[in-house]
mmCIF file of all heavy atoms in Angstrom:
data_model
loop_
_atom_site.group_PDB
_atom_site.id
_atom_site.type_symbol
_atom_site.label_atom_id
_atom_site.label_comp_id
_atom_site.label_asym_id
_atom_site.label_seq_id
_atom_site.Cartn_x
_atom_site.Cartn_y
_atom_site.Cartn_z
ATOM 1 N N GLU O 462 14.487 -14.387 -10.523
ATOM 2 C CA GLU O 462 14.606 -13.650 -11.788
ATOM 3 C C GLU O 462 13.269 -13.653 -12.527
ATOM 4 O O GLU O 462 12.805 -12.636 -13.044
ATOM 5 C CB GLU O 462 15.678 -14.308 -12.680
ATOM 6 C CG GLU O 462 17.058 -13.707 -12.534
ATOM 7 C CD GLU O 462 17.050 -12.201 -12.516
ATOM 8 O OE1 GLU O 462 16.552 -11.588 -13.488
ATOM 9 O OE2 GLU O 462 17.499 -11.619 -11.506
ATOM 10 N N THR O 463 12.678 -14.851 -12.584
ATOM 11 C CA THR O 463 11.357 -14.979 -13.218
ATOM 12 C C THR O 463 10.353 -14.059 -12.532
ATOM 13 O O THR O 463 9.576 -13.361 -13.189
ATOM 14 C CB THR O 463 10.878 -16.443 -13.126
ATOM 15 O OG1 THR O 463 11.872 -17.272 -13.727
ATOM 16 C CG2 THR O 463 9.554 -16.628 -13.842
ATOM 17 N N ALA O 464 10.388 -14.056 -11.209
ATOM 18 C CA ALA O 464 9.461 -13.210 -10.448
ATOM 19 C C ALA O 464 9.613 -11.747 -10.841
ATOM 20 O O ALA O 464 8.619 -11.018 -10.985
ATOM 21 C CB ALA O 464 9.694 -13.383 -8.947
ATOM 22 N N LYS O 465 10.837 -11.303 -11.020
ATOM 23 C CA LYS O 465 11.041 -9.912 -11.430
ATOM 24 C C LYS O 465 10.388 -9.640 -12.773
ATOM 25 O O LYS O 465 9.726 -8.615 -12.952
ATOM 26 C CB LYS O 465 12.542 -9.605 -11.495
ATOM 27 C CG LYS O 465 13.024 -8.825 -10.287
ATOM 28 C CD LYS O 465 14.467 -8.353 -10.468
ATOM 29 C CE LYS O 465 15.107 -8.209 -9.099
ATOM 30 N NZ LYS O 465 16.566 -8.303 -9.171
ATOM 31 N N ARG O 466 10.577 -10.569 -13.710
ATOM 32 C CA ARG O 466 9.940 -10.400 -15.019
ATOM 33 C C ARG O 466 8.418 -10.374 -14.905
ATOM 34 O O ARG O 466 7.734 -9.725 -15.684
ATOM 35 C CB ARG O 466 10.352 -11.542 -15.950
ATOM 36 C CG ARG O 466 11.688 -11.309 -16.661
ATOM 37 C CD ARG O 466 11.888 -12.306 -17.775
ATOM 38 N NE ARG O 466 12.013 -13.662 -17.266
ATOM 39 C CZ ARG O 466 11.152 -14.655 -17.482
ATOM 40 N NH1 ARG O 466 10.092 -14.459 -18.230
ATOM 41 N NH2 ARG O 466 11.338 -15.858 -16.948
ATOM 42 N N PHE O 467 7.888 -11.099 -13.917
ATOM 43 C CA PHE O 467 6.431 -11.185 -13.745
ATOM 44 C C PHE O 467 5.865 -10.005 -12.956
ATOM 45 O O PHE O 467 4.666 -9.942 -12.725
ATOM 46 C CB PHE O 467 6.061 -12.477 -13.021
ATOM 47 C CG PHE O 467 6.128 -13.723 -13.851
ATOM 48 C CD1 PHE O 467 6.883 -13.776 -15.024
ATOM 49 C CD2 PHE O 467 5.442 -14.883 -13.464
ATOM 50 C CE1 PHE O 467 6.950 -14.941 -15.787
ATOM 51 C CE2 PHE O 467 5.504 -16.030 -14.215
ATOM 52 C CZ PHE O 467 6.260 -16.071 -15.374
ATOM 53 N N GLY O 468 6.726 -9.113 -12.467
ATOM 54 C CA GLY O 468 6.192 -7.914 -11.822
ATOM 55 C C GLY O 468 6.563 -7.705 -10.376
ATOM 56 O O GLY O 468 6.102 -6.743 -9.754
ATOM 57 N N ALA O 469 7.386 -8.579 -9.792
ATOM 58 C CA ALA O 469 7.835 -8.349 -8.408
ATOM 59 C C ALA O 469 8.600 -7.036 -8.354
ATOM 60 O O ALA O 469 9.395 -6.736 -9.237
ATOM 61 C CB ALA O 469 8.720 -9.498 -7.937
ATOM 62 N N THR O 470 8.370 -6.249 -7.301
ATOM 63 C CA THR O 470 9.109 -4.991 -7.159
ATOM 64 C C THR O 470 10.408 -5.205 -6.396
ATOM 65 O O THR O 470 11.286 -4.361 -6.423
ATOM 66 C CB THR O 470 8.265 -3.937 -6.430
ATOM 67 O OG1 THR O 470 7.940 -4.438 -5.132
ATOM 68 C CG2 THR O 470 6.986 -3.630 -7.189
ATOM 69 N N GLY O 471 10.512 -6.338 -5.704
ATOM 70 C CA GLY O 471 11.743 -6.655 -4.987
ATOM 71 C C GLY O 471 11.838 -8.159 -4.818
ATOM 72 O O GLY O 471 10.812 -8.854 -4.832
ATOM 73 N N THR O 472 13.072 -8.685 -4.693
ATOM 74 C CA THR O 472 13.242 -10.126 -4.475
ATOM 75 C C THR O 472 14.279 -10.326 -3.381
ATOM 76 O O THR O 472 15.184 -9.518 -3.202
ATOM 77 C CB THR O 472 13.729 -10.847 -5.755
ATOM 78 O OG1 THR O 472 14.979 -10.268 -6.154
ATOM 79 C CG2 THR O 472 12.721 -10.716 -6.883
ATOM 80 N N ILE O 473 14.090 -11.420 -2.651
ATOM 81 C CA ILE O 473 15.029 -11.764 -1.572
ATOM 82 C C ILE O 473 15.369 -13.243 -1.660
ATOM 83 O O ILE O 473 14.451 -14.082 -1.650
ATOM 84 C CB ILE O 473 14.409 -11.475 -0.184
ATOM 85 C CG1 ILE O 473 14.070 -9.993 -0.038
ATOM 86 C CG2 ILE O 473 15.362 -11.922 0.930
ATOM 87 C CD1 ILE O 473 13.339 -9.650 1.245
ATOM 88 N N ASN O 474 16.647 -13.563 -1.789
ATOM 89 C CA ASN O 474 17.058 -14.955 -1.660
ATOM 90 C C ASN O 474 17.274 -15.214 -0.170
ATOM 91 O O ASN O 474 18.133 -14.605 0.461
ATOM 92 C CB ASN O 474 18.331 -15.236 -2.462
ATOM 93 C CG ASN O 474 18.617 -16.733 -2.465
ATOM 94 O OD1 ASN O 474 18.557 -17.379 -1.418
ATOM 95 N ND2 ASN O 474 18.896 -17.279 -3.647
ATOM 96 N N SER O 475 16.464 -16.120 0.364
ATOM 97 C CA SER O 475 16.417 -16.294 1.814
ATOM 98 C C SER O 475 17.464 -17.287 2.313
ATOM 99 O O SER O 475 17.424 -17.689 3.473
ATOM 100 C CB SER O 475 15.022 -16.744 2.235
ATOM 101 O OG SER O 475 14.607 -17.854 1.475
ATOM 102 N N VAL O 476 18.401 -17.672 1.451
ATOM 103 C CA VAL O 476 19.359 -18.702 1.836
ATOM 104 C C VAL O 476 20.206 -18.269 3.034
ATOM 105 O O VAL O 476 20.634 -19.106 3.841
ATOM 106 C CB VAL O 476 20.255 -19.092 0.633
ATOM 107 C CG1 VAL O 476 21.239 -17.982 0.271
ATOM 108 C CG2 VAL O 476 20.981 -20.401 0.904
ATOM 109 N N ASP O 477 20.416 -16.978 3.197
ATOM 110 C CA ASP O 477 21.277 -16.511 4.289
ATOM 111 C C ASP O 477 20.544 -16.358 5.621
ATOM 112 O O ASP O 477 21.146 -15.947 6.617
ATOM 113 C CB ASP O 477 21.928 -15.171 3.905
ATOM 114 C CG ASP O 477 20.898 -14.072 3.699
ATOM 115 O OD1 ASP O 477 19.699 -14.336 3.903
ATOM 116 O OD2 ASP O 477 21.282 -12.959 3.315
ATOM 117 N N GLY O 478 19.257 -16.669 5.633
ATOM 118 C CA GLY O 478 18.523 -16.593 6.893
ATOM 119 C C GLY O 478 18.165 -15.191 7.342
ATOM 120 O O GLY O 478 17.647 -14.998 8.441
ATOM 121 N N ASN O 479 18.386 -14.212 6.496
ATOM 122 C CA ASN O 479 18.106 -12.825 6.898
ATOM 123 C C ASN O 479 16.877 -12.232 6.207
ATOM 124 O O ASN O 479 16.723 -11.010 6.164
ATOM 125 C CB ASN O 479 19.312 -11.928 6.583
ATOM 126 C CG ASN O 479 20.519 -12.328 7.404
ATOM 127 O OD1 ASN O 479 20.356 -12.812 8.523
ATOM 128 N ND2 ASN O 479 21.699 -12.148 6.846
ATOM 129 N N ALA O 480 16.041 -13.087 5.667
ATOM 130 C CA ALA O 480 14.904 -12.572 4.884
ATOM 131 C C ALA O 480 14.042 -11.631 5.715
ATOM 132 O O ALA O 480 13.616 -10.568 5.244
ATOM 133 C CB ALA O 480 14.078 -13.725 4.337
ATOM 134 N N ALA O 481 13.750 -11.998 6.972
ATOM 135 C CA ALA O 481 12.876 -11.163 7.795
ATOM 136 C C ALA O 481 13.474 -9.771 7.966
ATOM 137 O O ALA O 481 12.788 -8.754 7.781
ATOM 138 C CB ALA O 481 12.627 -11.820 9.156
ATOM 139 N N GLU O 482 14.739 -9.706 8.287
ATOM 140 C CA GLU O 482 15.391 -8.406 8.478
ATOM 141 C C GLU O 482 15.324 -7.596 7.180
ATOM 142 O O GLU O 482 15.075 -6.383 7.199
ATOM 143 C CB GLU O 482 16.869 -8.588 8.870
ATOM 144 C CG GLU O 482 17.080 -9.116 10.279
ATOM 145 C CD GLU O 482 16.788 -10.614 10.391
ATOM 146 O OE1 GLU O 482 16.515 -11.269 9.354
ATOM 147 O OE2 GLU O 482 16.801 -11.130 11.518
ATOM 148 N N THR O 483 15.562 -8.256 6.054
ATOM 149 C CA THR O 483 15.555 -7.544 4.777
ATOM 150 C C THR O 483 14.173 -6.983 4.472
ATOM 151 O O THR O 483 14.033 -5.842 4.020
ATOM 152 C CB THR O 483 16.014 -8.495 3.652
ATOM 153 O OG1 THR O 483 17.220 -9.138 4.057
ATOM 154 C CG2 THR O 483 16.260 -7.726 2.359
ATOM 155 N N VAL O 484 13.138 -7.777 4.731
ATOM 156 C CA VAL O 484 11.778 -7.271 4.501
ATOM 157 C C VAL O 484 11.515 -6.052 5.385
ATOM 158 O O VAL O 484 10.956 -5.052 4.933
ATOM 159 C CB VAL O 484 10.722 -8.368 4.773
ATOM 160 C CG1 VAL O 484 9.321 -7.785 4.775
ATOM 161 C CG2 VAL O 484 10.835 -9.482 3.737
ATOM 162 N N MET O 485 11.921 -6.127 6.634
ATOM 163 C CA MET O 485 11.672 -4.998 7.531
ATOM 164 C C MET O 485 12.383 -3.754 7.011
ATOM 165 O O MET O 485 11.825 -2.652 7.038
ATOM 166 C CB MET O 485 12.113 -5.328 8.964
ATOM 167 C CG MET O 485 11.309 -6.436 9.634
ATOM 168 S SD MET O 485 9.496 -6.389 9.400
ATOM 169 C CE MET O 485 8.995 -5.310 10.740
#
Side-chain angles (χ1 to χ4, degrees):
Chain O
E462 267 315 303
T463 304
K465 258 188 207 157
R466 276 192 295 114
F467 284 21
T470 60
T472 59
I473 299 175
N474 188 314
S475 51
V476 71
D477 63 3
N479 296 329
E482 289 76 5
T483 311
V484 170
M485 294 317 273

